[in-house]
Amino acid sequence: MMGDPSAEALRVSNPARNTVVVPDGPLPALPPSIWESKDVRDAVAAESPGAVVAIARRAHGLRQDELGALAGFSQSAISRLESGSNIAYDMRVLRTLQRLLGIPAHLLGLTDRTVPVPSGDLVVGMEGKALMALCASAVFNANSDDDAVSQLLVLRRIINDAHNWRATGALMPAVRSMYDVIDALRRNARGEVRRRLLGTSAMYAEFHGWLYEEIGDLRNAGAWTSRALEQGQAADDRDVVAYCYVRMSQLAEVDGDDDRVIGLARAAQRETGVSPVVRAMAVRQEARGLARAGQNACMQRFDLAHSLVLTVERPMSDEYSIGYCFTDLHVQMQRAASLVALSDHRRAIDAYTELMPRWGTVCQWEQGVHTATLAYAHAASGDVDRAVELGFAALDLARVTGSQLIVNELARLGPWAATPAIAELTAQLR
């Protein structure tokens, strides 16, 4: 071992102790009982990733300085992490230690924190029945027609929030059934209630189209988005109409048709009476299209989208409204992604790095897409090791969410498949 330069590089001199000795190969897998122990459960419940790292380190029989030597950190950094300092919430640090120690990612808050259930079908069935029960309650237990519509919009928001942190497959059958119930009510209603139900069913139809896009079924995604557009037009709901144009623009990205991406985003902006937040979303999408077309004018549009979203007054309501969770962070993350589209990879990396402390506030599928984009930027800049690290982090999020959008973005790492780690990553994508 003394003659191995790679092993020698892992040695850390510490005047207070003997030379640190680290294992030659990967650490062995820990028994599942470790992750099921009370200490780990308590640490996860307390949202203390540093405590989970400490438990895993001790289970491997490592001192803090030995773990630091393996991970490339100082002993003091490991100590601060385990004691709960800010470094314990740094994604890059946690990802490194998670892979090194073999810690299930969700225990460190890197993926969905729900407890795994052996039967996925059971989870889907339970969630579907629960959502349908909520839908029936909203319709049949309401005091008035207006109250029923309001409760259906509250439920639409609940579903949206659930989707932000859960896999798509559990929601699709329930959302379709809920749309059918609302659409049937709409057909038998009259006057203003009929119009409101029409707008509400359009919101469910658009969401159903989004779920299809996320699993890679673009034909059904387009069909349901078109249905939502028609119903939004019939309801004279300008936010729904404008947002459907935005969604069609996003679908056009898959075809690589930059003219349609830009044109549909501009069509959304031509709608009158659109709320500032939906207008901001449309301007951001236009900027995205301009970046894909290689036009630096995209940055001016990002500036406009950013200024618009900062003026938005958030409604004090539990009802769903388009763009209720859209913030300046979504604009800034897409700006960073557009720098990648413009091949300005170093500026993109800097922009993403500055935004990273806030990533936890956006939904998991979106984190995954941007993590994959950042991986591509690092690979294009020559830092393949960092690209690999980020690529596997994005892959974890793809597995949690079932999002084909993340997989599609990771596929862009194909040109570096000659690198063994990238080859392993792309093989797992298949």
Side-chain angles (χ1 to χ4, degrees), residues 60-370:
H60 280 292
L62 295 171
R63 301 192 307 265
Q64 288 180 341
D65 54 347
E66 291 171 333
L67 176 57
L70 279 172
F73 305 128
S74 66
Q75 183 274 331
S76 61
I78 299 298
S79 176
R80 292 198 308 275
L81 180 144
E82 293 184 355
S83 64
S85 72
N86 287 342
I87 195 175
Y89 303 92
D90 185 300
M91 186 179 75
R92 182 173 183 175
V93 173
L94 288 178
R95 181 64 60 186
T96 298
L97 295 174
Q98 179 253 323
R99 295 197 180 283
L100 180 63
L101 296 171
I103 303 172
H106 68 278
L107 297 180
L108 296 179
L110 296 173
T111 57
D112 186 17
R113 296 184 183 185
T114 55
V115 178
V117 178
S119 172
D121 292 338
L122 177 62
V123 175
V124 172
M126 289 175 64
E127 290 196 349
K129 290 176 182 177
L131 289 171
M132 281 304 298
L134 285 171
C135 184
S137 176
V139 172
F140 297 113
N141 294 335
N143 295 322
S144 67
D145 290 336
D146 284 341
D147 190 33
V149 174
S150 177
Q151 290 192 46
L152 288 170
L153 288 172
V154 171
L155 181 56
R156 172 69 180 85
R157 180 163 174 170
I158 290 171
I159 297 169
N160 206 78
D161 290 342
H163 168 255
N164 284 345
W165 306 105
R166 300 200 63 124
T168 298
L171 295 174
M172 288 191 70
V175 171
R176 172 56 196 270
S177 297
M178 293 160 72
Y179 169 83
D180 289 342
V181 169
I182 297 166
D183 199 51
L185 289 173
R186 183 265 304 180
R187 293 170 184 269
N188 291 287
R190 294 291 182 269
E192 178 63 12
V193 172
R194 184 186 181 106
R195 189 194 67 78
R196 290 190 66 201
L197 283 168
L198 189 60
T200 302
S201 64
M203 293 180 189
Y204 276 83
E206 179 278 316
F207 185 54
H208 200 45
W210 166 252
L211 295 177
Y212 270 116
E213 181 185 357
E214 201 167 35
I215 64 171
D217 186 343
L218 298 181
R219 184 182 65 83
N220 275 311
W224 278 91
T225 305
S226 295
R227 181 181 298 194
L229 173 63
E230 293 168 359
Q231 291 187 327
Q233 290 170 329
D236 196 25
D237 190 322
R238 310 327 296 172
D239 273 4
V240 169
V241 171
Y243 184 59
C244 285
Y245 282 132
V246 172
R247 289 288 300 118
M248 288 177 171
S249 174
Q250 292 169 345
L251 288 170
E253 289 190 39
V254 182
D255 294 332
D257 191 338
D258 298 335
D259 290 334
R260 288 186 64 236
V261 173
I262 297 168
L264 287 163
R266 288 175 175 170
Q269 295 170 60
R270 285 194 294 269
E271 290 294 319
T272 58
V274 174
S275 65
V277 69
V278 174
R279 178 167 165 74
M281 297 169 83
V283 174
R284 183 194 70 159
Q285 182 59 20
E286 180 195 2
R288 172 66 179 162
L290 291 169
R292 287 171 53 89
Q295 299 183 34
N296 288 317
C298 66
M299 292 304 160
Q300 295 175 345
R301 304 307 285 171
F302 276 120
D303 290 341
L304 176 57
H306 187 249
S307 64
L308 283 170
V309 80
L310 292 179
T311 68
V312 172
E313 295 183 5
R314 305 294 169 179
M316 300 299 292
S317 170
D318 292 329
E319 294 182 8
Y320 175 82
S321 60
I322 295 173
Y324 77 93
C325 57
F326 187 76
T327 69
D328 68 298
L329 178 59
H330 295 91
V331 177
Q332 299 291 54
M333 292 178 80
Q334 196 60 259
R335 185 198 296 267
S338 292
L339 288 169
V340 177
L342 293 170
S343 299
D344 196 344
H345 301 119
R346 178 43 55 190
R347 283 182 63 202
I349 291 169
D350 291 343
Y352 269 133
T353 301
E354 185 177 343
L355 296 171
M356 266 189 170
R358 299 173 61 195
W359 279 27
T361 62
V362 301
C363 53
Q364 289 186 327
W365 72 264
E366 198 163 2
Q367 289 182 45
V369 169
H370 285 287

Side-chain angles (χ1 to χ4, degrees), residues 23-37:
D24 288 319
L27 296 174
L30 293 173
S33 58
I34 294 290
W35 316 124
E36 298 166 2
S37 67

